[in-house]
């Protein structure tokens, strides 16, 4: 998704600009959609409620990214979206999307690729449900590095635990192990810096091959 960041910027004039405070729910999982969104400023997390009632934080939208694409054309939202800081978003209705695609045919490719990325993410989460904790954590960190285009990952350990569907203590234990191995650095409780991406990839590959 990193390569798709800001590619929707030329079409912002078609949407509706909305300012939201922290901890505001943008849409709920299961709601019938009326459109999709673009994150201009701030931060938004995506959560998934599993069948057993556990809510997992599965994604963090980078600025310049689309989200809620599955809600276009009356589709149901497959996840929930919540702001984690004061944010500026742009809402695009079905009519807006049709107009954009009519005026700018190349926009349909951008939208479709972003939508596919989201579906791949959900499929990946299902695939890693019963995986070893370190494998799921390494996969998630590598994905976030790619999404944000940065080695600095703005995620707290509780959100990390909710994504993996485990305890914060388990996440902390693995992060401390990786810190000692020189794979990551911890900045407070809300930022993880990946200092050895290749090393983390080797961890992922080694566990995956077991």
């Amino acid at each position: 998704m990193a390569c798709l960041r800001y590619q929707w910027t030329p079409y912002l004039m078609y949407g509706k600009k909305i300012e939201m405070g922290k901890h505001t729910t943008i849409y709920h999982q299961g709601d019938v959609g009326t459109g999709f969104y673009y994150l201009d400023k701030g931060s938004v997390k995506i959560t998934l409620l599993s069948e057993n009632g556990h809510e997992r934080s599965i994604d963090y939208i980078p600025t310049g990214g689309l989200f809620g694409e599955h809600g276009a054309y009356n589709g149901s939202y497959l996840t929930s979206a919540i702001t984690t800081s004061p944010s500026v978003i742009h809402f695009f209705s079905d009519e807006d999307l049709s107009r954009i695609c009519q005026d700018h045919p190349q926009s349909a490719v951008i939208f479709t690729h972003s939508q596919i990325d989201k579906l791949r993410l959900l499929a990946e989460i299902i695939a890693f449900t019963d995986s070893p904790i370190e494998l799921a954590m390494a996969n998630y960190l590598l994905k976030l590095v790619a999404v944000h285009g940065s080695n600095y990952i703005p995620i707290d350990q509780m959100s990390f635990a909710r994504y993996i569907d485990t305890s914060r203590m388990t996440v902390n234990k693995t992060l401390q192990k990786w810190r000692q191995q020189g794979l990551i650095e911890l900045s407070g409780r809300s930022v993880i810096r990946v200092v050895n991406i290749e090393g983390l990839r080797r961890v992922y590959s080694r566990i995956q091959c077991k």
Side-chain angles (χ1 to χ4, degrees):
M1 182 175 162
C3 63
L4 297 176
R5 290 182 69 183
Y6 304 111
Q7 289 195 24
W8 200 257
T9 305
Y11 319 123
L12 296 185
M13 65 184 73
Y14 289 85
K16 178 183 179 182
K17 182 178 179 180
I18 305 173
E19 296 185 5
M20 291 186 167
K22 185 178 181 180
H23 300 319
T24 301
T25 299
I26 302 170
Y27 57 79
H28 290 279
Q29 179 176 333
D31 287 351
V32 176
T34 57
F36 63 100
Y37 301 84
Y38 172 96
L39 179 59
D40 192 7
K41 296 179 182 178
S43 55
V44 171
K45 71 176 179 179
I46 303 299
T47 66
L48 177 68
L49 188 64
S50 61
E51 292 183 358
N52 60 14
H54 291 174
E55 183 180 68
R56 301 171 63 182
S57 299
I58 64 169
D59 201 8
Y60 287 82
I61 305 301
T63 53
L66 298 178
F67 62 101
E69 299 94 326
H70 27 74
Y73 299 122
N74 297 316
S76 295
Y77 290 117
L78 303 178
T79 57
S80 297
I82 306 163
T83 60
T84 57
S85 67
S87 302
V88 177
I89 64 176
H90 294 257
F91 172 73
F92 298 88
S93 66
D94 296 341
E95 293 75 17
D96 296 332
L97 178 57
S98 296
R99 192 176 307 113
I100 293 170
C101 292
Q102 182 177 358
D103 295 346
H104 307 277
Q106 70 275 17
S107 65
V109 176
I110 299 172
F111 177 81
T112 300
H113 283 176
S114 187
Q115 189 176 47
I116 289 173
D117 281 350
K118 301 305 189 303
L119 294 175
R120 282 176 175 167
L121 172 65
L122 290 175
E124 182 179 279
I125 290 167
I126 294 173
F128 279 86
T129 298
D130 297 320
S131 298
I133 295 299
E134 285 195 44
L135 180 65
M137 287 180 62
N139 173 73
Y140 191 36
L141 271 185
L142 291 170
K143 182 183 74 69
L144 288 177
V145 167
V147 167
H148 289 273
S150 171
N151 290 7
Y152 289 87
I153 308 303
I155 182 172
D156 60 81
Q157 293 184 23
M158 183 57 71
S159 295
F160 210 151
R162 286 177 178 169
Y163 172 79
I164 305 299
D165 198 18
T166 188
S167 68
R168 190 189 68 79
M169 186 177 298
T170 299
V171 166
N172 181 262
K173 182 179 179 180
T174 300
L175 291 178
Q176 293 298 336
K177 174 183 175 181
W178 288 350
R179 182 183 63 79
Q180 293 175 1
Q181 293 174 344
L183 300 177
I184 65 170
E185 291 179 355
L186 300 176
S187 179
R189 296 184 177 180
S190 58
V191 176
I192 300 171
R193 180 184 174 222
V194 180
V195 296
N196 188 345
I197 294 178
E198 288 306 316
L200 193 61
R201 285 175 179 156
R202 285 193 293 271
V203 169
Y204 174 83
S205 298
R206 185 180 68 251
I207 299 173
Q208 189 179 40
C209 292
K210 287 184 179 180

